[in-house]
């Protein structure tokens, strides 16, 4: 089987994890802050908080931005469920903004319209979560402009996009958002097994997220001087969302190969573009303002009614195609909240024709040729 995504684990990764296993630290130790500093430096950010998943990072980001009952969070319907669920963990309401038919990211025009309406209704969102779908940045300058005008905070769900760039600057540098979240799940660009990280524009947000990551416990040197060196205080209700040093060891060796991974993904994406040019499908749109991290390579079939047969033809030939994403508001749990088919027509139309082809750094050109040959046969 040629999967749609796959991690790359080398001897140096195994050696780094083995060394961490033999160290004094298994849970969060010295490698976690080292990994945080390395990711922050790579992405041009000043503060970083590593956690055990991007889902946890999104949850803590919402809490740090004071999202709670009565508040609204808006995100893209074309994403993994976690981008919306984070609102509901905080007792807030999740809602969606339809996608742009080129970029497949949240549509800035639809966002502007919905904000205008929400202002009239007195239901403006507190937080908007743009998702950099497939690794290509949203139009962050336009979103930042709207955030200033309407007063919402911005969390970038960059789970697909570490190493991507927008207007020449790395995603995560924080010029147009409060917090940027990465995922280190094995199908993503770099992996720690499970893991995630939040980059924060403001050090106080990072301090708050770091406390929430470990039970809401703080160790204040002034209080320790009064009470004793053992002293700590739970100052609010937090969680155990810590990353381990074993995972951070893997993250550090993976991060050292980020540029190599990005180059391989881009080369394979360029190659798909030219190999697929004459088929009855649409290859990914490329935003001239963004350099994608190419987490996913998604084509759209001209004839949506053939998607299922094409998918099954590829799967039965051992090619692990996939579909990203079923619009989140169509999930039964969201339908239960009142969303119905037809609410987000662009996301639904896109979903009906989408097919994710295999793309990962160790995919060989011969394997890629085979994917294209079988797809060609399926569409014939
Ligand atoms: C993978 C993913 C997540 C969740 O990441 P985890 O690290 O598995 O929690 C969130 N948002 C998007 C867009 C994702 O692709």
């Amino acid at each position: 089987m040629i999967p749609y995504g796959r991690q790359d684990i080398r001897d140096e990764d195994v050696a780094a994890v083995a060394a961490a296993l033999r160290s004094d630290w298994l849970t969060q130790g010295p490698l976690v802050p080292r990994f945080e500093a390395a990711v922050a430096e790579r992405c041009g950010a000043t503060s970083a908080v590593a956690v055990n998943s991007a889902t946890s990072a999104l949850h803590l980001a919402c809490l740090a931005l004071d999202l709670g009952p009565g508040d609204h969070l808006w995100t893209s319907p074309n994403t993994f469920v976690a981008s919306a669920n984070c609102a509901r963990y905080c007792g807030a309401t999740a809602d969606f903004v339809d996608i742009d038919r080129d970029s497949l990211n949240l549509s800035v025009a639809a966002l502007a319209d919905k904000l205008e309406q929400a202002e009239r209704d007195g239901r403006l969102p507190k937080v908007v979560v743009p998702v950099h779908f497939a690794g290509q940045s949203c139009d962050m300058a336009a979103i930042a402009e709207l955030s200033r005008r309407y007063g919402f905070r911005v969390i970038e769900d960059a789970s697909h996009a570490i190493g991507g760039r927008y207007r020449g600057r790395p995603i995560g540098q924080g010029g147009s958002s409060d917090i940027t979240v990465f995922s280190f799940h094995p199908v993503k660009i770099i992996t720690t097994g499970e893991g995630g990280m939040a980059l924060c524009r403001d050090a106080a947000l990072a301090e708050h997220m770091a406390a929430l990551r470990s039970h809401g416990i703080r160790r204040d040197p002034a209080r320790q001087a009064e009470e004793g060196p053992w002293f700590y205080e739970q100052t609010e209700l937090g969680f155990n969302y810590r990353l381990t040093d074993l995972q951070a060891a893997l993250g550090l060796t993976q991060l050292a190969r980020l540029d190599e991974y990005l180059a391989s993904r881009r080369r394979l994406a360029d190659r798909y573009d030219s190999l697929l040019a004459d088929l009855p499908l649409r290859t990914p749109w490329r935003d001239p303002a963004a350099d994608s991290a190419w987490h996913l390579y998604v084509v759209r079939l001209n004839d949506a009614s053939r998607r299922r047969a094409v998918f099954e033809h590829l799967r039965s030939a051992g090619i692990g195609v996939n579909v990203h994403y079923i619009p989140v508001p169509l999930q039964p749990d969201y339908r239960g909240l009142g969303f119905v088919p037809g609410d987000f027509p662009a996301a639904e139309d896109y979903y009906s024709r989408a097919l994710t082809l295999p793309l990962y750094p160790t995919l060989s050109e011969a394997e890629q040729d085979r994917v294209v040959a079988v797809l060609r046969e399926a569409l014939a």
Side-chain angles (χ1 to χ4, degrees):
M1 179 74 121
I2 301 176
Y4 86 87
R6 183 174 163 73
Q7 70 279 10
D8 169 47
I9 298 296
R10 300 190 195 165
D11 290 349
E12 67 218 56
D13 299 310
V14 174
V17 175
L21 264 172
R22 293 191 183 98
S23 77
D24 294 336
W25 300 89
L26 296 184
T27 180
Q28 184 177 308
L31 296 181
V32 168
R34 207 180 296 167
F35 182 42
E36 290 171 332
V39 173
E41 193 196 335
R42 175 62 177 74
C43 300
T46 48
S47 40
V49 182
V51 287
N52 58 2
S53 70
T55 303
S56 300
L58 288 164
H59 181 193
L60 298 189
C62 288
L63 290 174
L65 295 177
D66 202 28
L67 190 78
D71 293 330
H72 298 260
L73 173 150
W74 294 359
T75 187
S76 170
N78 182 32
T79 186
F80 186 57
V81 292
S83 315
N85 288 345
C86 55
R88 298 170 58 200
Y89 296 150
C90 304
T93 302
D95 198 357
F96 303 89
V97 178
D98 207 356
I99 62 171
D100 177 90
R101 288 176 193 262
D102 287 326
S103 70
L104 309 175
N105 284 328
L106 172 153
S107 156
V108 170
L111 176 62
D113 286 350
K114 195 174 168 97
L115 286 165
E116 217 176 279
Q117 181 68 45
E119 188 173 45
R120 283 197 294 273
D121 301 345
R123 289 155 60 96
L124 282 168
K126 184 178 264 187
V127 173
V128 172
V129 181
V131 180
H132 303 316
F133 178 72
Q136 181 165 264
S137 179
C138 295
D139 183 356
M140 291 311 298
I143 292 167
E145 174 81 41
L146 289 168
S147 85
R148 284 188 290 272
R149 176 149 158 219
Y150 289 97
F152 58 82
R153 312 294 293 268
V154 179
I155 302 170
E156 295 176 65
D157 184 343
S159 292
H160 299 184
I162 190 170
R165 299 173 80 85
Y166 171 71
R167 295 195 173 175
R169 302 177 71 187
I171 288 174
Q173 47 76 31
S176 348
S177 67
D178 297 285
I179 298 171
T180 300
V181 168
F182 297 129
S183 171
F184 306 130
H185 181 281
V187 298
K188 307 290 166 70
I189 309 278
I190 61 170
T191 190
T192 59
E194 296 278 0
M197 198 175 292
L199 302 182
C200 302
R201 175 153 67 180
D202 171 355
L205 282 177
E207 189 281 333
H208 192 181
M209 289 183 70
L212 290 170
R213 152 179 81 182
S214 200
H215 309 281
I217 284 173
R218 289 180 166 89
R219 289 181 170 76
D220 175 1
R223 296 283 293 126
Q224 285 184 327
E226 281 170 45
E227 302 286 339
W230 63 84
F231 194 70
Y232 64 84
E233 292 167 297
Q234 180 182 323
T235 52
E236 62 188 316
L237 184 64
F239 304 87
N240 180 352
Y241 281 170
R242 291 186 301 266
L243 193 75
T244 68
D245 257 31
L246 309 183
Q247 293 168 305
L250 179 56
L252 281 161
T253 49
Q254 291 268 311
L255 184 69
R257 299 198 299 272
L258 176 59
D259 287 317
E260 179 188 332
Y261 289 154
L262 294 167
S264 306
R265 287 177 176 275
R266 166 181 277 278
R267 180 179 54 77
L268 290 164
D270 288 347
R271 204 164 172 272
Y272 266 136
D273 276 6
S274 58
L275 292 170
L276 299 172
D278 63 324
L279 291 179
L281 51 76
R282 201 171 154 190
T283 55
W285 179 77
R286 296 186 179 213
D287 182 347
D291 295 322
S292 179
W294 287 110
H295 165 51
L296 299 174
Y297 190 91
V298 178
V299 297
R300 281 179 270 180
L301 304 189
N302 294 352
D303 183 355
S305 71
R306 301 191 58 195
R307 198 265 307 271
R308 171 128 188 214
V310 170
F311 181 101
E312 287 179 349
H313 185 108
L314 283 148
R315 278 283 179 99
S316 63
I319 295 170
V321 285
N322 215 322
V323 172
H324 298 92
Y325 286 99
I326 302 166
V328 178
L330 295 185
Q331 294 293 344
D333 193 33
Y334 280 82
R335 291 193 195 206
L337 298 170
F339 295 101
V340 294
D343 282 346
F344 303 99
E348 291 171 34
D349 176 67
Y350 155 74
Y351 162 61
S352 71
R353 28 186 105 249
L355 191 65
T356 303
L357 303 183
L359 178 64
Y360 48 92
T362 57
L363 179 73
S364 70
E365 292 192 355
E367 286 168 325
Q368 191 181 27
D369 288 341
R370 181 169 147 67
V371 172
V372 173
V374 177
L375 177 58
R376 187 176 292 280
E377 188 180 279
L379 285 165

